[in-house]
Every structure is written in C-alpha cells, then in structure tokens.
Amino acid sequence: MATHAGHASIFARLDRIDRRWIFLAMFVAVAAPILWVGVTGKTFPEAPTPAVQGAFDAVESLPSGARVLVSMDFDPASAGELQPMATAIVRHCALRGHRICTMTLWPAGGPIIDGTMQDVLGDRPDYRYGEHWVNLGYRAGFEGVMKQMNSRVSLAYATDVRQTPLERIPMLEGITGIADFDLLVSISAGYAGAKEWVQYSVSPTLTGSKPLRFVAGSTGVQTPQLIPYYPNQMAGILGAIKGAAEYEYLVNEAVRKADPSAIVPAKFQEAQRRMAPQLFGHVLMVALIVLGNVVFFGLRNREARA
Amino acid sequence: MSRSIAVLVAGVAAVVMVLSKFIVPMESAETTVAEWFNAAAAIAFVLGGASLLKMNLLTISARGPGWGYAAVTLVAFLATLGVGLFKVGVPPSAAFPDHRMGGTPDAEGGALWWIYEYLMSPITGTLFAMLAFYVASAAFRAFRAKNAAAIFLLVTAFVVLLGRTYAGVFVTSWIPDDVPWVSWLRLENLSAVIMSVFTTAGTRAMIIGIAIGVAATGIKIMIGLDRSYLGAGAGGGNG
Amino acid sequence: MSQFPGTSGTPGAPGMPADPAVARRANRLMIAVLAVIAALLVVRAWVGTEVGSGADAQVVHGYGMVFVEQQGAGHVQVPAAEWAQAVAADPAQQRVMVSWPRTVGVWAAALLTLAVLSFLWRDNPVYKLAESVVVGVSAGYVMSTAVWSSLVNQVFGKLAPGLTKAYLSPGLTTTESDWWALVPLGLGMLLLCRLSARLSWVGMFPLAFVVGVFSGWRFVQYVESDLLAQVATMFDPLYVAGPTAAATVGGTLCAVLVLVGVLTVLAYFFFSLEHKGPVGGAARIGVWYLMITFGASFGFTVMGRIALLAARCEFLFDDWLWLIDPAGKH
C-alpha cells in the first residue's frame, strides 16, 4: 500500500513538474554534445539513404563544366538546417568543375548566397566570377519569377547582382530558358521553394525533349511533403540536417578516395558535427514521450483503483 | 458594380493564364503578365512596410499599451530602411567603382549587412529554435498512446527519431545488415522504409486531394463563383 | 498606459510556478546562476585565450572578437590565428586587425540570442524588445531589398532609363522608355490604396488581378504536377524485379503497400460515400497510413527544430565565447 502511495506521489510530482526543467534538459542534451564534439572533433559515420545518394549521383554524373542553377530559397531562420546543405552541394559542384549560377526567391537569401560562395570558393582562385560562377541574386515574384525563367532567364534577371547584363556573362552563353541548365537545385525552407520549382519549372519539362533534372534540399518540416515527388519528378532529396550530413559524408569520402592524404577542412563537416546534438536531442524526446505516458497511465490506474 | 468588375478581372486573368499553357502564341502574354505580377509582388512588400509604419504610428500617437515597443519597432524599421535605400557603408562595385550606388545593398561590410548578420539572423534563428523546447514540453504532456491510431503515430515517431541518428544504428546493430530478409528491421533502414512507403503513400494521397481542391477553386474563380478574395466589406465606393 | 508593459513576474503567470515562495526561490536561483556564469566569463577574459600556434601564439583577453583582412575595397573575416601570425611577423602591421563593428555585432547577436531564450524562463521586457527589433528590422530589410532588386530595374529603369542609370543602377542597358511598366506601377499604387479606409475598395482591382493570375497558374501546375504526375505513379508496375529474391519480394511488397496506401487514404478523404462496409474498412486503413505519415512528419519536425537550436548553441559557444573552435575560426 505504501509502495502504491509512493508511486502515486512520484507520478503526481512528475505530472506537475515545472516545464522549465524540461527546457533545461533539452538545452543540456543539445549543448553538451556540441561542446564534446567541439573539443574532440569526432563525428559519426553516415550511411546515405537512396534519396541522398540520388542527389549526389545527379551532381556527380554531370560532365565537368556542366551548368547548375542553385536556388537558395531560405533565410537565416532556417540556416541552421539548410546552410550545411547549401555548402555541401556548392562544394560538390565546384569539386566536379561545374559552372554554378545562384539565385534566391527569398528576400533575405542574398547574404546567404554570398556567405556560401565565400566559404566554398574563397580559396579557389581558379573559380572566376562570370566564367565559373555567377550570382543572380533575389527577384520578387515567387512563381512569377519561375514563369519568366522558364521562357527566358533574362526576363526575370536583366543583370546579375554586380549589375552585369546577362548577355555579357560568359558562363550563361547559350542559356535561354531554365531547361538549358543541366541541373536545378533548390535548397528550400518553404514557400516559394522546392515544391513550386517542381510544379512550375520541372514538371512541364518532363514530357518534353529535355527534362530538367532537379535536386531538393529541404527542412525537416517540408521534407515529408516532397517525398512523393521522388524519384519521378526529382532526382534526389536532402531531408533535414541528416540529409545534409549524409551528403557531406559522400562528398568528403569522394575527396578522400581521390586523394587519400587529403585533409577535409572542418568547415565542410558542419552537418556531421551536428548529428551529435541531434542524437541526444532525439533520445531525450523519446524518453520524454515514454515518461509522459508512464506518468499518465500510472495516474489513471491509480484513479481507476480509487 | 465595382465588385462585378473585380470578379471579371480575376476570371479573365485566370482564363488567359490557363489558355497560355496550351496556345503557344499566348506565351508572351503570360511572361508579360508575370512581369507585372513580379512588380506588384515587390510593391506588396512596400505595402507591408507602409502598413507596419501606419499601425505603429497609430499605437504611439494613441499611447496604446506597449507603445514603447511600437517605437522600438518603428526606429528599427526606419533605420534599416534608411541604410538599405541609401546603401550606407556598401563597398563600391568592382565594375562601377566610381558610382556610389553601384554596390549591392546587402554586400558584406555594409550597414544593411551588419543589421542582417547581427540583429536579424540571431533573433529569427533563435525564435525558430525555441520551438525545440516547446516541442519537448508538449511531448511530455500531450502525446498519449490512448488508442491504436495514436500508437501508430508514436511508434513511427520513435523509429524516425532514432533511425535518423546514430542511436538507430547502435540500438539495432545486432540485426545483421547483410541478410536482406531481416536487415530492413534495423532502425535506420526501417526509418527509410517508412519514408519511402507509408509517408509517400499518405502524402501522395494528400497531394492529389489538394490538387483537386486547387483545381476546383481555380474553376470557381474563373466563372466568378468564388469571390471570397474580395472580402465581405470590400464593396465600398460605388459598389 | 505603460510604454513597456511586459510582465508582472507574478506567480501564476505563464511559465511561472503557482506558489509565490517557489517563484521567489526560482528567481533567486536564476540570478545566482547568471552571476556565477558572469563571474566565470570575467575570469576567463582575465586569463585570456591563446590563438595561433608555436612562436606565433598570442594571448587575446576577450572573446567574440572578429578579425578581418583588407581585400580589395572591403574587408574579409579571417581566423584569429592569422592575426597572431601577422603580429608575430610585424607588431605594427595594419593588414589584419580587429573589426570593432563586427565584434560589437557578435556581442549584440549573442545578447539578443539570450534575450529571446529568456522567454523560456518567463515573458519579460527584454524578450519583447528583441521581438520588436526583429519585426522592424525584417520589414525594413525586405522593403529595401524589394526596391533595389526588383523595382529599380524592372519599373524605374523601364520608365526613366537615363535617370535610373545615372543615379541608381549604373549597369542598366535599357535606353528606351517602356511605358508598359506603368501597368505594374499602377497596380502597385492601387494596392497602396488599401491602407486608406476611404479608398480601400480601389485596392480590390489589383487584388483581383493578382488572385486571377495566381489561380490560373496554380490550376495548370497543380493539375499537371500534383494530379496527373502523381496519379501516373499509381500505374507503375507492382512487380519490382531485384537482384536477389529478397529484393524482389521487398520491392514488390513496397510497391503494393504504396498503392494500397494511396487508395485507402483517398477513400478516407472521399466523403460522398458513407464510411461503412468496404469503404469504411479502407478508410480505417487509410487513417493508419495517415497516422504513420504524421508520426514521420513529427519526427522530421523535431529534427529540424533541434538542428536550429544546435546552430544557436554553436554560435554562442564558438563565435561568442570561444569555448570551442570546430571550424577553425580562431
């Protein structure tokens, strides 16, 4: 009897627990592994899922010099999830010698493009602006921009961000509509982003003579909504930080395979480092759900007996 | 009268956009309309800013509750807009080094970039990150395995949460990965199966349903049956 | 009326314990923890952080500092180790230096991050201040970006190319005025009428235009991409041949389960028939599929939020406090 009362007391106390203890537990579960990884530099091995492998293969299979349009459709609020993806994909393109054209449909996406290109191409003087990469920047209009780009990219963007008219940019020579790019990548946090690119620019080309290949990187919230488009309407998806970590792993493994003595800079392992706080955060979530149910059913049983 | 004209404008615009998909010579009409649409979208941002200005000025002048915060918002808005429009501190463009307005407004080193990097990014990033704490609290208090449907939901959540981290590999490492008849039971593989089978099926059905709904709404706008976008009180003037 | 109403801090307010004594104890605990953290930071600043290595090593008494190097017309952020190296080579050098605007920026970002996190303790004026700042800053940023990226070239540049090229956009190549640009400008002006109570009805016309265009586009693209293309996948072969018997069985089973799932969930959404008999059974299976779908969505949402929190923590520990240096920034 005393044991029952004791249990009831524990259940009741847990049921009334100040939620700030839960907040603290979450903070510790995320912060402690960051400090641990920051000190040790250790990361977990990743096993790529088919959707991430598909994205990697789409970039890898293009011949060197292929033109890739990367639309970074996110803002700083989602950068924690999507920045590692953007960095990994742009880096992969640069390693393969592809020519990269960047743009964004989000007003706050401009500095994200600048930061990504600086991170990846900052120490690549061979990658010359205008010849190997170009930044078109932001244009207002969401689907309207896509519609214009489907017909003529220059309708949406008369100039790049450096105010050079598109017809004077060597790497865009021969590009009329969006389908002239060899691959479209959208790193997207929501509207307008990957879903709209599939609907407005990719799907209309699928029945034509030159289907536009498409790869999406998306937030955890958006990923399940994009899954049905894979593999028919998109070649691959990077879902949430785990997708970024898998992609990073594939790129870094490719670098190591090409040159076993190569040292991968720490800035290109950001997503892999983040998998440690993810691990503990997820385990805490599972534990909280289990504990919440134990408390709930424990109290209910006691009430039923009473 | 004005409502009828507005309904006609919407219907004709919608029909023209649909026809331009199927009649190639009409494609130029679509791109022209897209250009207007994009410009209107940019002006909508200006409208949003003007609306914010109006609301906060009203709050301040009426000394309403929290007018101090409204003043902070107003100062932040005007300061950001000012440095953005006048390109304060923006390094000159390499192509036009002598032109004061040649640089990109949010180029690194400029005042707008500073505001973006050190004010906007940390606050918006942290506001979104806060949800991690509230989801944890909700997980403890609200997610109850009361029936079969809820159990399905929770078990799936467990598999995805664990399977998408190294925890999944660790917990089910005893299941051989090289025996295909059982290897799918490893949490990381099970999580992938859930995404490629169950989530694909469920979301695909939702996508199909939403597409039918959007198509139906489009037809209603084309024939003037749906006027909800005009609002209940938008018939003023000579309407 | 108070200009900064926030929070009473009274017991029972959201996030606060109901018992006043517990609330007071909690407040004291929080202040004590903050005091200890502040003291530790002061001690650490006094001790300093070593940057660079070997003979180039320098001690920096502070954290959150950003070092930059002059490159062209602007400055580029460089690791603190590079500054240490430059100072070791030439103590009077000015090539690599501390950027005080950026250092102040890192501190502002850190304090604002903490201000937002303080809401977890309870609602408070500091949180509200951060919230007010971000609303104003975001609106100002978006508005100025929209003006420079779209309106200047797409509208002003077409109406007055000479003036626009001379004063706003030196790269503009248009030389002739395109008066069609008056149409979007007019639409925009009419939209602005919505701010006026008397003239708001005029704003109905541009709104109708935008809604019409948008619904026409969505009609076509949703049917093509989401209806036809997704329904087409239901006609994919159900027998999926794989390299092994297990792969064939697995692939076929998955294909069948996907088809069954789509059909049963659609049955659940189909309300023209009463959910009884076979339709009811199918709808019940559809509900299970939906629950699994929502469970997976929940898992992904949690993953996303934790990733964002990890990013903020990393900023605090790395860029601000210099406790860790995983990316070699200092």
Side-chain angles (χ1 to χ4, degrees), chain C residues 94-232:
Chain C
Q94 290 292 309
R95 185 175 55 86
V96 184
M97 59 195 138
V98 176
S99 167
W100 289 111
R102 295 185 197 215
T103 301
V104 170
V106 168
W107 275 83
L111 295 177
L112 285 167
T113 300
L114 295 177
V116 176
L117 288 175
S118 72
F119 187 79
L120 295 171
W121 185 259
R122 66 165 187 245
D123 197 0
N124 63 77
V126 177
Y127 168 78
K128 280 200 161 70
L129 195 73
E131 201 181 34
S132 309
V133 167
V134 81
V135 170
V137 159
S138 301
Y141 181 87
V142 167
M143 195 166 153
S144 64
T145 305
V147 168
W148 279 114
S149 67
S150 297
L151 292 182
V152 166
N153 278 352
Q154 310 288 81
V155 179
F156 306 152
K158 287 185 175 171
L159 291 174
L163 282 175
T164 309
K165 187 177 170 65
Y167 295 106
L168 300 174
S169 180
L172 194 72
T173 51
T174 318
T175 50
E176 298 287 315
S177 294
D178 175 6
W179 299 110
W180 280 106
L182 282 173
V183 176
L185 189 67
L187 285 172
M189 292 300 115
L190 293 178
L191 262 182
L192 287 175
C193 288
R194 291 189 71 81
L195 288 177
S196 154
R198 206 160 48 87
L199 291 174
S200 72
W201 66 274
V202 180
M204 194 162 62
F205 300 109
L207 191 68
F209 170 77
V210 169
V211 168
V213 169
F214 202 52
S215 65
W217 285 346
R218 280 167 68 99
F219 176 82
V220 172
Q221 300 315 151
Y222 269 80
V223 170
E224 183 176 37
S225 167
D226 286 12
L227 186 58
L228 299 181
Q230 290 296 314
V231 169

Side-chain angles (χ1 to χ4, degrees), chain B residues 15-151:
Chain B
V15 170
V16 169
M17 289 304 100
V18 173
L19 290 180
S20 65
K21 167 76 181 173
F22 304 102
I23 303 169
V24 176
M26 286 182 72
E27 201 188 347
S28 63
E30 186 183 57
T31 51
T32 304
V33 168
E35 196 178 324
W36 298 349
F37 183 89
N38 295 351
I43 294 172
F45 286 128
V46 178
L47 177 72
S51 177
L52 182 87
L53 190 69
K54 182 184 162 188
M55 275 169 46
N56 283 288
L57 280 174
L58 284 175
T59 309
I60 294 166
S61 61
R63 293 287 191 274
W67 67 269
Y69 297 117
V72 171
T73 300
L74 201 65
V75 169
F77 170 69
L78 292 175
T80 309
L81 186 63
V83 300
L85 290 182
F86 294 102
K87 296 193 177 180
V88 175
V90 169
S93 143
F96 307 99
D98 301 328
H99 201 289
R100 216 193 81 68
M101 293 295 186
T104 319
D106 48 13
E108 184 174 349
L112 190 65
W113 172 83
W114 191 95
I115 288 173
Y116 173 95
E117 189 74 13
Y118 298 119
L119 301 183
M120 198 169 132
S121 295
I123 304 178
T124 55
T126 315
L127 282 170
F128 271 62
M130 293 276 279
L131 291 174
F133 296 105
Y134 291 103
V135 164
S137 177
F140 179 72
R141 298 210 184 277
F143 296 158
R144 302 286 181 246
K146 285 179 182 171
N147 51 43
I151 291 170

Side-chain angles (χ1 to χ4, degrees), chain A residues 43-233:
Chain A
T43 56
F44 295 114
E46 297 294 335
T49 46
V52 175
Q53 186 70 52
F56 179 84
D57 292 344
V59 176
E60 187 74 10
S61 62
L62 291 175
S64 180
R67 287 179 287 200
V68 180
L69 175 62
V70 181
S71 188
M72 298 192 195
D73 304 321
F74 63 100
D75 61 7
S78 305
E81 259 187 299
L82 299 180
Q83 184 59 64
M85 269 180 214
T87 304
I89 290 185
V90 169
R91 177 168 171 248
H92 189 197
C93 290
L95 288 169
R96 293 282 301 128
H98 301 330
R99 287 174 288 172
I100 307 159
C101 177
T102 55
M103 61 169 284
T104 177
L105 295 169
W106 286 45
I112 286 172
I113 296 177
D114 294 339
T116 308
M117 302 318 271
Q118 174 64 32
D119 266 357
V120 178
L121 303 178
D123 51 2
R124 289 283 303 268
D126 56 315
Y127 249 77
R128 285 183 295 278
Y129 187 85
E131 286 177 48
H132 302 96
W133 72 281
V134 68
N135 179 13
L136 300 182
Y138 166 70
R139 191 65 79 239
F142 310 121
E143 290 95 329
V145 178
M146 295 177 189
K147 281 281 182 188
Q148 286 187 309
M149 291 184 76
N150 290 350
S151 299
R152 282 215 322 266
V153 176
S154 59
L155 284 176
Y157 290 95
T159 66
D160 68 348
V161 288
R162 300 188 183 185
Q163 305 213 17
T164 311
L166 256 51
E167 59 270 19
R168 286 192 213 149
I169 296 173
M171 79 148 277
L172 293 179
E173 205 174 290
I175 295 276
T176 306
I178 200 166
D180 293 323
F181 283 99
D182 298 296
L183 179 70
L184 168 64
V185 178
S186 169
I187 318 287
S188 122
Y191 177 82
K195 187 176 174 73
E196 287 70 32
W197 280 117
V198 172
Q199 291 176 320
Y200 285 79
S201 293
V202 177
S203 296
T205 68
L206 294 180
T207 48
S209 57
K210 187 177 181 280
L212 177 60
R213 284 174 71 73
F214 179 60
V215 163
S218 69
T219 56
V221 175
Q222 200 194 15
T223 300
Q225 298 161 30
L226 296 177
I227 288 286
Y229 296 118
Y230 169 79
N232 290 3
Q233 288 156 281

